[in-house]
Amino acid sequence: MLKKITILYSSQIYRAIIPLIFVPYTIGILGAENYGLVSFFTMLIGLIGILDAGIGSAFIKIVSTNRFNQYSFQKVISLFLKVFFIFLIIACIIIVSFYFSSDYIVIGWLKTSINYPEAIYCIKLIGIILSIMYLKSFVSSFINGMERQDILALWGIIYTTLFYCGSYLAIKNVSNDLYTFFKIILFVSILDFSIISFIWILLVFFNIKLTKKKINETTQFDKIADEFSLLKIAKFSLQLSGLSIIWIIATQIDKVVLSKYLILEEYANYQIAAQLATTISIFTVPLTQFLLPRLSVLYKDKNEKEFLRIYNISLFVFVALLSPIIPYFFLFGDDIISLWIRSDLLGANINGYAKWLIAAALIAGIMNFVFIILYAQGKLKNHFYAYIIYSSLTIPLSVLIAKYYGAVISAKFVFIHSLLFMIFWGGYCVHKLMNKFINFFALIFGGVFILSTSIFYIFSNTKYITSVPILDLFIPPLINFFITLLIYFLVKRYIHLFFSKITLN
């Protein structure tokens, strides 16, 4: 467990840091407006997940709970290949759609002065790249269900290096234009899909070979097959699909609308802020990849003690490490982004969006733990309906706010509605699912947040700590971390006592 989590986190940290390193260099070569088209492409990567419709996440659960029996596993493979064919058809539709709508996107949607033939060509390439990424994400869901996230993580390090380092070296040494940039991205995407598909073939082959050795009673097959074909699996997938679609729309709608009403250069600033907010995924993605299949199996096996132990420790570490990021960006965000982007004006501009989006991303990360426990217990139905009601209000309001009030108000609105949803719906869910959990969460989150805010406020009123600006920005969070760690060791007995009192309802 520790080895796998270490690999997942190392990969996620690397894959979050590398893009941030290359942002200022890529902007420096391509220019702010050309980078705006890259930002538009980044937004579309997040949006393309809507076409997955939650099917990939459903397969994680199906694969993880059926991979230990040869007969049921072969049924899963058969179903997977049928669904993959549907995904292949959709991927072709994506390519055709971008090909024929490229003129409208360049002229009717984006506010840009990029050379017309270059912009048209790049939009068509974007369609091909997105279709390949779409297929790759579906195949990856099967590998996640096999609980081989470590393999994906290790390959992800190589892929990220090729994606960002390769594109940067190409525009630096070959040609500093968008043609070259997107051609390299297309090549890397094809290679990525090929490697992921090869990993899938190997895992399927070795799992079938392994399960053949474990067959003792063939009389169990009919029972497993009947269980696998129950209508509840289809209903679960449908709930998850709807939830996934609505979630993607709700989280991407501000970026989609702003891409039309902001000039491309300003839109790039908003997307950079959004990219900073996605660094929260350093923690959420590996945890989700690990917890979804593991907790599903533990709940199925009725191992409540281990279920709660893993869940509570994961949430505790997440909250303790990440809660300080909100006050940090509100007090030091302008300086840290200016140092990174090498422009005081851009730093203040980007952090005007980033501090709100980062706070919203942390809240979404906490809400992800609510989703995880509902997913593991197969209780997504009410969550699905709640998210429909929530999104039916926030999506149209997000469109109107982005259109009439601009990017800063949009970022603030994302934070406000995320916070309200966590308080009311998230609080209700954990109250119903786990006894005494809210007390535990309020103690940890409130204590860490108040402590870190106090420490950062004191340092923010101290002009210089050292003569090195980067040290002045990194010393406060380091001190905050060590003080938090010290307090934990002083009171860990009471924290574990809180753990022991939490039970599933």
Side-chain angles (χ1 to χ4, degrees), residues 349-368:
N349 190 3
I350 292 171
N351 193 49
Y353 317 132
K355 59 189 178 184
W356 297 105
L357 295 177
I358 287 170
L362 177 64
I363 292 168
I366 294 172
M367 273 302 296
N368 191 52

Side-chain angles (χ1 to χ4, degrees), residues 118-221:
E118 183 178 16
I120 290 290
Y121 183 82
C122 291
I123 292 297
K124 291 176 180 177
L125 282 184
I126 285 173
I128 300 172
I129 295 166
L130 290 175
S131 66
I132 296 169
M133 290 181 168
Y134 172 65
L135 292 174
K136 173 248 180 152
S137 67
F138 181 61
V139 178
S140 297
S141 68
F142 193 102
I143 299 172
N144 278 323
M146 296 285 292
E147 295 196 53
R148 293 317 309 262
Q149 304 94 333
D150 50 342
I151 297 177
L152 288 177
L154 292 172
W155 165 247
I157 292 174
I158 301 172
Y159 164 72
T160 302
T161 303
L162 294 173
F163 190 100
Y164 291 99
C165 295
S167 59
Y168 168 72
L169 291 174
I171 59 176
K172 180 182 179 182
N173 299 313
V174 179
S175 180
N176 60 341
D177 54 41
L178 290 170
Y179 288 110
T180 303
F181 180 87
F182 282 107
K183 283 178 181 177
I184 292 297
I185 298 302
L186 175 61
F187 171 78
V188 173
S189 299
I190 293 171
L191 177 64
D192 180 36
F193 177 68
S194 301
I195 296 296
I196 294 297
S197 299
F198 180 69
I199 293 171
W200 179 85
I201 292 170
L202 287 180
L203 288 177
V204 168
F205 172 78
F206 284 112
N207 194 75
I208 291 175
K209 189 175 181 180
L210 180 65
T211 51
K212 279 183 178 179
K213 297 179 180 179
K214 295 183 177 180
I215 297 174
N216 294 317
E217 294 181 280
T218 57
T219 55
Q220 293 181 348
F221 289 171

Side-chain angles (χ1 to χ4, degrees), residues 299-345:
Y299 187 78
K300 183 181 179 181
D301 294 341
K302 298 181 180 180
N303 191 344
E304 180 179 328
K305 183 178 180 181
E306 184 66 7
F307 181 99
L308 287 171
R309 187 187 73 84
I310 293 177
Y311 185 84
N312 289 335
I313 289 175
S314 300
L315 180 63
F316 171 77
V317 173
F318 181 86
V319 170
L321 289 180
L322 288 192
S323 295
I325 200 170
I326 297 179
Y328 181 79
F329 268 87
F330 271 86
L331 294 171
F332 293 99
D334 287 8
D335 296 329
I336 192 70
I337 296 175
S338 297
L339 189 65
W340 164 55
I341 213 75
R342 293 179 290 185
S343 168
D344 290 341
L345 181 62

